[in-house]
Amino acid sequence: MTDFRNTAKRTLIPLIGAGALALGLSGGAAASNSAHGQRLSSKEGTIVAKGRNEKNLRYSSTTVDSGSTLRILNHTAAPHSFSLIIPKLVPSSKGQTQRCFTQGHICKKIAKWHKFDGQTIHKNPVDVGPKGWSTEGSIHRKGDSVFYGPGQSPSKFRVSAPEGTVLHFICAIHPWMHGTLVVE
């Protein structure tokens, strides 16, 4: 069980509430495409959460070999999720990011995957499907996902998706943060 009360109480809890999330996003945090990163090596890839304030938070994207390791680095003062989802659920407009944490939308489902009870995440990470990270979730099916606190970086993950796969990911707390993981 992961208890974020100490590390993310001021940021995670207000953002997880649907009303607070809608209010926070309506304050001008428009959807922004993630900056595309570059391949770091033939084996390992790195995704970086970066940005100085809520309006400019973003994820980088990367390319990795199938079976290699993915590192996720948090260079922000905010908590995040790294959640694999099917491409059609990635928010592409300000309206979609504002609705992401409402009933029937993917951010609310990601919280359920993690058994979030309003204060504590009871399942972290969520690793479904074949061993390793390869499964994009939807409204009806869990995907691979991890929550991590401000300034924290989760463990490294083995990417088991087959060569030629493009995985899509999102931060359920900040749904304008999203990107792709290309598997070669």
Side-chain angles (χ1 to χ4, degrees), residues 22-56:
L23 289 173
L25 291 176
S26 65
S32 66
N33 291 331
S34 62
H36 291 284
Q38 31 183 314
R39 187 175 178 162
L40 297 177
S41 74
S42 63
K43 291 293 177 193
E44 188 173 277
T46 303
I47 301 286
V48 181
K50 50 189 163 186
R52 292 184 182 248
N53 59 52
E54 191 164 310
K55 289 183 182 181
N56 69 10

Side-chain angles (χ1 to χ4, degrees), residues 121-181:
I121 294 169
H122 293 277
K123 182 167 178 56
N124 196 34
V126 175
D127 190 357
V128 298
K131 187 172 181 162
W133 284 50
S134 63
T135 305
E136 293 178 325
S138 70
I139 300 299
H140 306 289
R141 183 186 74 218
K142 291 178 187 176
D144 296 325
S145 181
V146 65
F147 269 94
Y148 53 98
Q152 296 178 336
S153 296
S155 300
K156 295 178 180 183
F157 300 96
R158 187 171 84 62
V159 177
S160 60
E163 192 175 303
T165 302
V166 177
L167 298 170
H168 300 82
F169 59 87
I170 184 175
C171 172
I173 303 168
H174 311 98
W176 60 93
M177 292 178 66
H178 49 80
T180 56
L181 175 60

Side-chain angles (χ1 to χ4, degrees), residues 26-158:
S26 65
S32 66
N33 291 331
S34 62
H36 291 284
Q38 31 183 314
R39 187 175 178 162
L40 297 177
S41 74
S42 63
K43 291 293 177 193
E44 188 173 277
T46 303
I47 301 286
V48 181
K50 50 189 163 186
R52 292 184 182 248
N53 59 52
E54 191 164 310
K55 289 183 182 181
N56 69 10
L57 290 173
R58 65 192 183 284
Y59 265 129
S60 63
S61 295
T62 194
T63 301
V64 298
D65 287 344
S66 181
S68 67
T69 302
L70 174 67
R71 293 183 314 148
I72 303 168
L73 302 177
N74 186 0
H75 291 172
T76 76
H80 300 289
S81 86
F82 179 84
S83 307
L84 299 181
I85 64 170
I86 61 173
K88 74 178 187 176
L89 296 178
V90 174
S92 61
S93 70
K94 183 177 179 180
Q96 288 176 344
T97 60
Q98 289 174 332
R99 290 186 301 276
C100 192
F101 210 91
T102 60
Q103 194 63 33
H105 290 85
I106 192 63
C107 296
K108 184 119 178 152
K109 287 294 185 178
I110 292 168
K112 287 182 180 183
W113 300 349
H114 286 276
K115 298 183 179 180
F116 180 70
D117 66 8
Q119 290 191 357
T120 303
I121 294 169
H122 293 277
K123 182 167 178 56
N124 196 34
V126 175
D127 190 357
V128 298
K131 187 172 181 162
W133 284 50
S134 63
T135 305
E136 293 178 325
S138 70
I139 300 299
H140 306 289
R141 183 186 74 218
K142 291 178 187 176
D144 296 325
S145 181
V146 65
F147 269 94
Y148 53 98
Q152 296 178 336
S153 296
S155 300
K156 295 178 180 183
F157 300 96
R158 187 171 84 62

Side-chain angles (χ1 to χ4, degrees), residues 9-36:
K9 189 172 189 175
R10 291 180 307 209
T11 51
L12 180 61
I13 302 308
L15 286 172
I16 292 296
L21 183 62
L23 289 173
L25 291 176
S26 65
S32 66
N33 291 331
S34 62
H36 291 284

